[in-house]
Amino acid sequence: MILVETGAYPQEGIGKPDYSREISTGQIRPGFELKYSQTLLAFLVSFSSVASAFNWFKAPLAAGAMVHCVNGATGFDLPYTTALGYTLTMISIGIALDQDVDIWLLLRVPPAPVVQRHLCLAKLAGGTPFYVPEVVSFSSATFDAEGAVSFDFDLQVTNIGGDDMEGQVGVYMILEAVGTPPLPAIKTVKCKWCEATKDVPIEATTIICDVCSNLFIVYPLRQPRGVTQP
Amino acid sequence: MTMPPPLPTAPTGEITKQVPLAYLVPAAQRVKISELCPLTGIMTSVTMHFPDGCNGLVHVAFGHGDKWVAPSEINTFISLNNATPVFPTSEPVVKNEHFWAEIRNGDVNPHLISVITVIVGRED
């Protein structure tokens, strides 16, 4: 075959990779399927006296203290700032903590200058397991269906018990593009040991820090593979 | 017993050949690719394959020499998604002339496009 000529051609829109309906479907629970324009995000924090390379692990939370959840894909604490052209929807929340706790969802929606309490996700007695696969408890599409607003999303976990708290909070979200170009192929991650930052491919998960040479682990959630069958 | 009539056969020396032109076109790129015609005879069909995902953003045209065959109007293109149409033709062709396919990809994704033409004719 002869290649006669090549050249640039202006972009006219956004399609999908060839046969993407077959190759990028992610079955993460029966009846649930991510579309190509969707990305899974995990905002979580684990409190443990045993150290872990997973980026969302912190020391046990002291009584009365508050922490932000961690973006599992990068290691940075929330708030998470959505880009223009995206909506954010909560799909599940799981809590397993050994102290009384309250967990708030906060938003900063311009022109508000700071985050504001938006939803109380939990006020639980210590030791109460809690898991809810959400239908819609939070979705920015309810107030910004076109992704016209870039807003800050925060999850704050407060130990309202009497002792150091161990356990985990995990919230899964779907970030969906509303007529925008795909997410960048690079993400900035933070080392959980020395807090040095580094740019890596968005699919990266096990990372050696360039500064302290320790291993840390983040989530590669952009295109989850099949987990369960309907 | 009467012998059955002989089966119909093509005129002596005529054969059928397929000429494929396939290319993985990068995002926001256009290409023109070419193959030689293997026979002198008639082009009987042109098949184009648009994978699912093209979404009407990939534009394809096929022809030979200065002639546009599919689509037949000059400077027009076919843009489909998840489709493999077959366009019947009856186009005279000459051995060793150039078949060409022009593909314009207006998507942000690369796409593998195939064009297959069927020729019935003679090799000499």
Side-chain angles (χ1 to χ4, degrees), chain A residues 18-184:
Chain A
D18 288 350
Y19 312 111
S20 58
R21 189 155 51 91
E22 282 74 37
I23 66 174
S24 70
T25 293
Q27 302 277 351
I28 62 171
R29 66 182 184 190
F32 190 85
E33 182 177 309
L34 283 183
K35 295 184 291 187
Y36 177 67
S37 59
Q38 295 177 330
T39 299
L40 192 63
L41 297 178
F43 299 146
L44 60 172
V45 62
S46 299
F47 306 106
S48 173
S49 55
V50 178
S52 169
F54 288 94
N55 245 22
W56 51 88
F57 269 72
K58 298 178 184 284
L61 187 65
M66 182 278 288
V67 295
H68 303 268
C69 283
V70 177
N71 183 344
T74 64
F76 285 96
D77 285 356
L78 270 56
Y80 172 84
T81 302
T82 64
L84 288 174
Y86 289 85
T87 61
L88 190 63
T89 299
M90 182 182 298
I91 58 171
S92 75
I93 176 170
I95 301 168
L97 296 163
D98 65 359
Q99 294 294 315
D100 296 353
V101 64
D102 75 18
I103 302 171
W104 285 89
L105 186 162
L106 300 93
L107 297 179
R108 184 192 72 82
V109 182
V114 295
V115 288
Q116 313 281 332
R117 281 186 167 181
H118 177 72
L119 285 176
C120 181
L121 298 181
K123 275 190 178 291
L124 288 178
T128 306
F130 179 87
Y131 176 77
V132 174
E134 299 283 359
V135 175
V136 177
S137 68
F138 170 79
S139 175
S140 68
T142 60
F143 58 83
D144 178 27
E146 296 181 353
V149 173
S150 171
F151 63 92
D152 293 341
F153 178 92
D154 194 10
L155 295 169
Q156 295 181 0
V157 180
T158 303
N159 179 0
I160 57 176
D163 204 349
D164 289 352
M165 181 168 73
E166 292 203 20
Q168 174 163 314
V169 175
V171 175
Y172 285 82
M173 318 281 298
I174 288 181
L175 184 70
E176 181 162 8
V178 184
T180 60
L183 289 170

Side-chain angles (χ1 to χ4, degrees), chain A residues 1-22 36 182, chain B residues 22 28-35 49 51-53 55 57 59 104-109 111-112:
Chain A
M1 184 179 65
I2 304 164
L3 182 61
V4 178
E5 65 179 69
T6 64
Y9 189 75
Q11 179 190 337
E12 297 173 342
I14 302 174
K16 293 175 287 187
D18 288 350
Y19 312 111
S20 58
R21 189 155 51 91
E22 282 74 37
Y36 177 67
Chain B
Q29 292 285 310
R30 59 176 178 82
V31 299
K32 189 169 186 177
I33 52 180
S34 175
E35 279 283 5
H49 175 63
D52 183 23
N55 287 12
L57 300 170
H59 318 291
R104 299 178 175 182
N105 184 3
D107 190 8
V108 297
N109 300 289
H111 292 287
L112 179 60

